[in-house]
Amino acid sequence: MFKTEEMEINLGPQHPSTHGVLRVKLHLDGETIVRCTPMIGYLHRGVEKICENKTFFQGQVWTDRTDYVASVSNNLGWAEGVEKLFGITVPRRAHYIRTMLTELNRITSHLLWLGTHALDIGAMTVFLYAFREREEILSMFEAFCGARLTTTAFRIGGLREDIPPGFEKQVRAFQARFLDCLDEYEILLTENRIWKKRTVGVALLNAEDAIALGVTGPVLRAAGSTYDIRKAFPYAAYAEMDFQVATKNEGDTYARYLVRLEEMRQAHRIINQCLDGLPEGPVMAKLPKVLKSEVNEIYHAIEAPKGELGYYFIGEKGGVNPYRMHIRAPSFINLQALSKMVEGRLLADVIAAIGTLDVVLGEVDR
Amino acid sequence: MTPMTPTLTQYLVISLLQIIVVMGFVMTLVPLLTFAERKVIAYVQVRLGATRVAGGLWGAQRGRTHKSRTFTGGLNGLMWYLGRVPVFSILRGLPMFIADALKLLTKEDIVPVEADKAVFVLSPALAMVAAFTVFAAISFAPGALFHFPANFPLLGGLPFNGFLTDLNVGLLFILGVASVGVYGIVLGAWASNSKYPLLGGLRSAAQIVSYEVPLTLSLLVPVVLTGSLNFNEMSTRMATDVPVNAVVGIFRTLLMFVGFFVYTTCGFAETNRTPFDLAEAENELVAGFHTEYSGMKFSFYFLAEYASMITVSALAAAFFLGGHYLLPFGLQGFLHIGGWWGGPHIIFFLLKIFFLLFVFLWVRATVPRYRYDQLMNVGWKFLIPYTLVMFVIAALLRYAA
Amino acid sequence: MASSLLRTLIPFDIYGGMKLTGKYFGKVLRQANRGVKRTHVVVEYPEVPTTLMPRFRGRLQMIKDEQGEIKCVCCMACEKICPTQVITIEKGKKEGRKTPYPTRYDFEMERCIFCEFCVESCGFDSIILNHQFELASYNREDFSHALEGEFQNMFGITPVSHYSVASED
């Protein structure tokens, strides 16, 4: 008597919780997801192509604008990738400062994820508490390199300038209270029955699927893997740092939440070690006047807050620009897991899944 | 003085005055509540909330500089200095609610082309009428607020009651009319002929129908304990009944304590507030059932939601928190308080309502949102058995008494 | 069993969160905008000026030396290094000056990304990024800066932000 059909609904590109311009095409049976297709490209700027026409020095400003909530990590990946291409050795002090800033950046990225993820699930207040701390770190970035978001923090061969006076005090003051702030978020969320109901067992992704899909970062580690590039292929000063890789075995949204909180605690530890063991010395290596590449190709990956961020460079003879540059963007590859996570689940789980994948559309679309 | 029986004219005039007073109260409380919502949530989130009104209320004003500070209009300058005053600094940004109301009134009213126009226009009105009619049976003060002076024209010597009607089935009336409100939401969502409102409306229908049951069951506890459906009698007897012995009294207080939380939980669901605001669920369904509404029609839904918040608070205050008496949970019957504090006063009732409204906002700022199926589970598997047990205990207490 | 049932029935977990948010509500209510000790994090921006870090990267500005001469010697380093090509320089000569003199130094702020590469590349310290951040404007022309012209001042502080609230008189 009645005709039933699937409802097709567009979640985004203008939607309060798709974190930018992600469009997810959903086929719904009632509220159950039958099919889920992420549609991307609304923020495509052709960063890779632009970078082919810019020198190695200039290209860094575009990495600020891929994953714009973790621009320091992107800067690090670019700078280290180019250094690898040219065989430049960076002074140890520069490595330490780079590590410290990158870990601070990991905290800002995770705080932004925590705030927006909680906001998506309905807890409004965590967002503002998380941003309170994020603001402090952003003002540290402002003190270090003059910008809060598009940092352009590093230079090929080291740093542009040493840390400014008063910076260490600023960081230590933040370090002193950050663990208490983390406890505050935990009071609001970790044991909360509604938070647990919304996250435990939601958006499941086991390690096998995660590896098959190429998923990296906290999403992979929450599924039981211990793959962390900081440990597996240490870069910057990570080989000298003492920290643990946070893992969980459940592979659900709640496990990812706990893994990211633990990563913030580990980042806190690493920053303290960087501050305590900061070596003296120069922050910039000796560089030739113009960087001219040989026929050469390298891949350099770092552990960005969202996963494995890789830069692939191909040089040509005497070229001042990369012949080809490719970014292995963690958000882009992690987003593949969305369909796997939500099919057969409810509409509200899509929101939780997008939140827990921590995608930044600037990086997905590049 | 023997109570006078008013003539029909007198009756109608007094009723009209009472309606104006009650509606005036509700209609001022609702915008103030939106302002309070801004402020409470802002303060919880270590912000300041609205502290200024863009450009002043009378058109755009140029900023002016005073002692090296620049203000964006005279009114905002005033509010800046208000910010120095300890407690009254919460009143900064108060003109915002007038600005909000003006914005909603003057905004373009869009009716989607594909919408069912008649239903689309009618359903917000239905929601609002249902939410406001409920106040007919709510008693803000048990007896007369005051008597008109004897020399008052037409109404001399007549009482001005703190309630509109003293229905002997008041509770049934409240529950019945309040549940009409869901039609406003469902019809509006359906008439929008759009996907997000449809999902929101369906969620809302299922949610409100499910939560009507535990809500009504939890209200059966006072009904059984007092054996009445009259609002005034129930609230007075719930507050002041002297228990036959201590054991009954303790159980009665405990029951009311638990019943208060169960009722408030259901009330949150009934009014579509966080953690049960699935019908709107901003982060999932954009704006839920009122996605396609704008301007005045949207504000009707808005008024209805906040008015039903006041209703739920009023019922909880009346039946569980001691109503017009000072002490909550029936403690008034144990502890005999003399003098002014012992008597029924409208101010106690209003304070309790305001506190409960604050709790609504406080909870909204704290907890996440349930998922649709979990909401149903909480309703059917948790709250309904809970209320049934309470109902049985209430019946036993009634038997013991 | 009993304790887990009790935990289900009585929401201690939510109570903890409510206590935390209530604590913040009380604190902010008492300290809202009272100056010295404050819990809230709001900067009431147009009334209270923002503090910037010394290295803040604002708008590009040319500086002059003590004699009032433009320090720029047209080495074109900034023009070359600029990732978005917002700087255009024309080399020229001036009476009584040995080094080249820029007859034209255009700065298109619409495309500028404030990366400070130009300042870094300048070997003569003739340009800086100043601390100006209120750069919005109603006119497109206001974003084009040059050596000469009414609103096209490469030396001044606020050719554009006279539209911002904080600088209104």
Side-chain angles (χ1 to χ4, degrees):
Chain A
M1 189 167 81
F2 296 106
K3 193 177 68 165
T4 57
E5 57 183 74
E6 283 172 13
M7 181 158 74
E8 189 183 303
I9 195 165
N10 278 307
L11 202 75
Q14 291 148 340
H15 188 275
S17 57
T18 50
H19 296 210
V21 285
L22 174 64
R23 174 175 159 217
V24 185
K25 203 162 143 194
L26 297 172
H27 288 259
L28 295 180
D29 175 17
E31 283 226 13
T32 317
I33 313 289
V34 180
R35 250 193 331 283
C36 159
T37 326
M39 301 197 155
I40 57 170
Y42 290 89
L43 202 59
H44 179 68
R45 292 149 295 176
V47 169
E48 291 174 5
K49 192 69 190 169
I50 292 172
C51 287
E52 286 172 22
N53 298 308
K54 301 288 166 189
T55 62
F56 290 105
F57 188 80
Q58 289 173 338
Q60 195 193 15
V61 297
W62 272 276
T63 64
D64 285 341
R65 287 156 179 80
T66 53
D67 180 359
Y68 38 76
V69 299
S71 48
V72 177
S73 288
N74 299 348
N75 297 159
L76 182 74
W78 175 274
E80 294 210 322
V82 176
E83 282 152 13
K84 208 172 182 180
L85 186 71
F86 291 107
I88 300 165
T89 318
V90 177
R92 199 154 159 261
R93 184 178 171 86
H95 268 326
Y96 266 71
I97 295 173
R98 279 178 173 188
T99 309
M100 180 167 73
L101 285 172
T102 313
E103 288 304 312
L104 281 170
N105 193 221
R106 188 182 311 280
I107 295 178
T108 62
S109 175
H110 282 352
L111 282 177
L112 187 126
W113 159 82
L114 177 68
T116 50
H117 184 41
L119 190 67
D120 288 346
I121 293 188
M124 312 164 78
T125 302
V126 185
F127 178 71
L128 268 291
Y129 291 172
F131 265 54
R132 182 183 58 186
E133 274 74 62
R134 183 172 180 262
E135 197 68 15
E136 270 188 49
I137 303 182
L138 291 188
S139 70
M140 285 173 211
F141 290 159
E142 191 188 325
F144 177 76
C145 55
R148 293 154 52 85
L149 204 69
T150 51
T151 47
T152 321
F154 309 129
R155 296 292 183 271
I156 292 152
L159 307 171
R160 186 190 164 202
E161 284 173 293
D162 208 335
I163 51 173
F167 185 77
E168 192 180 334
K169 206 178 137 204
Q170 202 181 355
V171 180
R172 286 209 190 270
F174 171 77
Q175 291 284 90
R177 50 178 285 267
F178 181 60
L179 289 183
D180 293 338
C181 298
L182 273 179
D183 289 343
E184 271 181 7
Y185 317 143
E186 291 226 46
I187 289 173
L188 281 173
L189 297 178
T190 305
E191 283 303 314
N192 190 306
R193 59 177 65 194
I194 306 176
W195 177 259
K196 276 178 118 168
K197 273 201 170 155
R198 283 301 303 275
T199 52
V200 174
V202 167
L204 281 167
L205 188 73
N206 58 26
E208 214 170 282
D209 288 338
I211 291 167
L213 286 164
V215 169
T216 45
V219 184
L220 176 65
R221 288 195 284 278
S225 167
T226 53
Y227 178 65
D228 187 324
I229 300 171
R230 291 176 294 174
K231 283 276 189 208
F233 309 101
Y235 55 94
Y238 284 108
E240 301 166 38
M241 299 294 154
D242 172 31
F243 66 100
Q244 274 126 35
V245 178
T247 53
K248 283 267 171 231
N249 290 324
E250 289 81 6
D252 59 1
T253 307
Y254 190 64
R256 278 168 224 136
Y257 158 77
L258 292 177
V259 162
R260 286 197 174 99
L261 278 186
E262 183 56 29
E263 275 191 11
M264 283 198 254
R265 293 211 162 82
Q266 296 299 333
H268 178 268
R269 267 179 76 191
I270 297 175
I271 294 162
N272 268 346
Q273 290 169 37
C274 286
L275 277 178
D276 294 337
L278 196 63
E280 294 297 319
V283 293
M284 192 71 185
K286 285 262 175 262
L287 289 184
K289 186 117 180 126
V290 181
L291 292 171
K292 285 212 167 96
S293 61
E294 296 297 315
V295 180
N296 196 359
E297 55 183 287
I298 62 107
Y299 174 76
H300 184 72
I302 64 159
E303 183 71 28
K306 291 168 182 70
E308 176 177 342
L309 172 69
Y311 284 92
Y312 183 65
F313 290 100
I314 300 181
E316 58 183 334
K317 180 124 184 85
V320 290
N321 309 335
Y323 178 72
R324 173 79 170 90
M325 194 277 283
H326 175 70
I327 304 172
R328 187 229 184 259
S331 296
F332 173 65
I333 290 164
N334 288 1
L335 187 62
Q336 293 184 95
L338 182 67
S339 321
K340 184 117 203 150
M341 282 174 170
V342 300
E343 271 169 20
R345 315 281 311 202
L346 292 174
L347 178 60
D349 290 339
V350 180
I351 306 301
I354 294 174
T356 192
L357 281 174
D358 193 14
V359 290
V360 166
L361 269 291
E363 195 180 39
V364 173
D365 295 340
R366 299 197 288 287
Chain B
M1 192 175 76
T2 50
M4 289 164 55
T5 320
T7 63
L8 183 66
T9 328
Q10 285 174 327
Y11 182 77
L12 285 180
V13 170
I14 279 202
S15 297
L16 192 65
L17 285 177
Q18 284 174 338
I19 289 172
I20 289 170
V21 167
V22 171
M23 282 298 109
F25 172 74
V26 177
M27 289 294 239
T28 25
L29 198 56
V30 167
L32 281 176
L33 199 57
T34 63
F35 173 70
E37 180 155 23
R38 282 166 188 271
K39 279 294 185 183
V40 169
I41 291 180
Y43 280 15
V44 162
Q45 296 175 340
V46 294
R47 299 184 282 126
L48 286 182
T51 53
R52 65 196 82 192
V53 182
L57 276 183
W58 295 274
Q61 297 168 331
R62 277 183 71 80
R64 73 190 167 81
T65 310
H66 176 67
K67 283 182 192 163
S68 83
R69 297 206 186 286
T70 314
F71 301 112
T72 50
L75 195 65
N76 291 337
L78 188 77
M79 287 199 276
W80 167 260
Y81 287 111
L82 196 63
R84 290 259 169 261
V85 189
V87 178
F88 289 99
S89 63
I90 199 170
L91 294 179
R92 291 178 80 188
L94 187 63
M96 196 69 215
F97 89 83
I98 304 174
D100 270 348
L102 284 178
K103 183 200 78 177
L104 284 174
L105 281 171
T106 53
K107 231 175 147 182
E108 189 190 352
D109 218 355
I110 301 166
V111 181
V113 179
E114 294 289 312
D116 185 337
K117 294 205 177 44
V119 185
F120 189 80
V121 173
L122 272 178
S123 41
L126 186 63
M128 194 173 86
V129 166
F132 277 73
T133 314
V134 172
F135 287 96
I138 287 177
S139 145
F140 287 90
L145 271 183
F146 59 88
H147 287 81
F148 285 102
N151 54 0
F152 200 85
L154 187 64
L155 307 172
L158 285 173
F160 187 85
N161 290 329
F163 48 85
L164 291 181
T165 52
D166 199 12
L167 280 179
N168 56 358
V169 287
L171 189 63
L172 285 185
F173 177 81
I174 291 171
L175 292 174
V177 174
S179 62
V180 173
V182 68
Y183 289 105
I185 290 175
V186 175
L187 288 176
W190 181 258
S192 298
N193 204 353
S194 171
K195 285 169 185 170
Y196 282 113
L198 178 65
L199 281 173
L202 288 177
R203 281 181 175 194
S204 184
Q207 172 185 347
I208 292 186
V209 167
S210 314
Y211 275 79
E212 288 270 298
V213 182
L215 185 90
T216 314
L217 281 174
S218 66
L219 280 178
L220 275 184
V221 172
V223 168
V224 168
L225 285 179
T226 58
S228 165
L229 280 171
N230 181 311
F231 191 97
N232 264 330
E233 195 188 336
M234 276 171 73
S235 83
T236 311
R237 285 196 53 195
M238 282 305 278
T240 56
D241 261 1
V242 183
V244 282
N245 58 42
V247 180
V248 171
I250 286 166
F251 266 100
R252 196 165 175 277
T253 304
L254 268 180
L255 187 65
M256 283 171 76
F257 186 74
V258 175
F260 168 68
F261 286 102
V262 173
Y263 172 74
T264 336
T265 313
C266 300
F268 275 93
E270 189 70 11
T271 50
N272 279 337
R273 298 290 298 182
T274 318
F276 306 106
D277 60 341
L278 301 173
E280 289 163 51
E282 194 202 329
N283 302 305
E284 291 153 29
L285 300 181
V286 188
F289 63 89
H290 58 63
T291 308
E292 303 288 349
Y293 281 91
S294 61
M296 204 49 209
K297 296 199 200 74
F298 164 71
S299 66
F300 272 24
Y301 276 126
F302 201 65
L303 285 172
E305 182 185 329
Y306 282 81
S308 52
M309 263 167 75
I310 300 174
T311 314
V312 167
S313 307
L315 291 193
F319 299 144
F320 299 101
L321 291 186
H324 314 284
Y325 292 88
L326 178 63
L327 294 179
F329 309 125
L331 289 173
Q332 196 90 14
F334 283 115
L335 316 163
H336 300 284
I337 301 173
W340 186 82
W341 293 98
H345 293 292
I346 188 168
I347 187 78
F348 294 150
F349 190 55
L350 290 184
L351 281 178
K352 281 166 189 166
I353 292 185
F354 292 153
F355 173 72
L356 284 173
L357 289 175
F358 170 71
V359 171
F360 265 97
L361 309 179
W362 188 10
V363 168
R364 176 166 182 218
T366 309
V367 296
R369 179 188 305 118
Y370 273 112
R371 206 173 59 200
Y372 175 66
D373 58 327
Q374 292 162 351
L375 174 95
M376 290 295 156
N377 282 352
V378 170
W380 289 99
K381 293 186 188 162
F382 183 71
L383 285 173
I384 289 180
Y386 217 47
T387 43
L388 281 173
V389 171
M390 275 166 45
F391 178 62
V392 171
I393 296 174
L396 288 177
L397 283 181
R398 171 86 179 160
Y399 179 71
Chain C
M1 175 61 204
S3 70
S4 80
L5 183 72
L6 210 63
R7 268 204 298 275
T8 319
L9 292 183
I10 308 170
F12 290 112
D13 45 323
I14 290 173
Y15 169 75
M18 297 280 283
K19 208 171 99 181
L20 183 76
T21 49
K23 187 188 89 187
Y24 273 112
F25 176 78
K27 264 192 184 171
V28 179
L29 182 66
R30 272 183 286 115
Q31 298 169 353
N33 198 33
R34 271 211 286 169
V36 195
K37 195 183 171 204
R38 47 158 68 178
T39 311
H40 69 84
V41 291
V42 179
V43 178
E44 297 194 52
Y45 159 61
E47 283 93 356
V48 181
T50 322
T51 51
L52 295 173
M53 298 293 169
R55 287 184 187 173
F56 182 79
R57 307 199 299 241
R59 205 206 95 207
L60 181 68
Q61 188 187 345
M62 288 190 88
I63 44 179
K64 296 179 174 176
D65 61 7
E66 296 81 45
Q67 283 82 43
E69 273 290 316
I70 296 172
K71 282 164 104 179
C72 175
V73 296
C74 305
C75 66
M76 306 287 180
C78 50
E79 192 185 313
K80 267 184 212 141
I81 198 89
C82 182
T84 49
Q85 290 108 40
V86 299
I87 298 170
T88 314
I89 307 175
E90 258 174 33
K91 216 181 230 181
K93 281 234 181 284
K94 198 187 173 188
E95 296 281 312
R97 181 173 154 140
K98 282 177 204 145
T99 48
Y101 176 88
T103 51
R104 183 171 156 218
Y105 193 105
D106 289 356
F107 168 49
E108 293 289 334
M109 204 176 63
E110 277 170 313
R111 295 204 310 272
C112 181
I113 55 173
F114 309 103
C115 60
E116 215 172 14
F117 282 0
C118 46
V119 179
E120 206 178 326
S121 71
C122 185
F124 302 88
D125 294 336
S126 62
I127 46 175
I128 53 161
L129 291 191
N130 63 19
H131 282 192
Q132 191 188 341
F133 61 91
E134 293 157 321
L135 298 168
S137 174
Y138 290 111
N139 301 317
R140 209 167 183 132
E141 299 79 53
D142 290 341
F143 294 109
S144 306
H145 298 278
L147 290 175
E148 281 145 14
E150 194 190 350
F151 292 118
Q152 269 111 54
N153 188 356
M154 278 304 291
F155 307 103
I157 293 291
T158 57
V160 168
S161 68
H162 58 273
Y163 287 109
S164 83
V165 172
S167 63
E168 271 181 18
D169 289 318

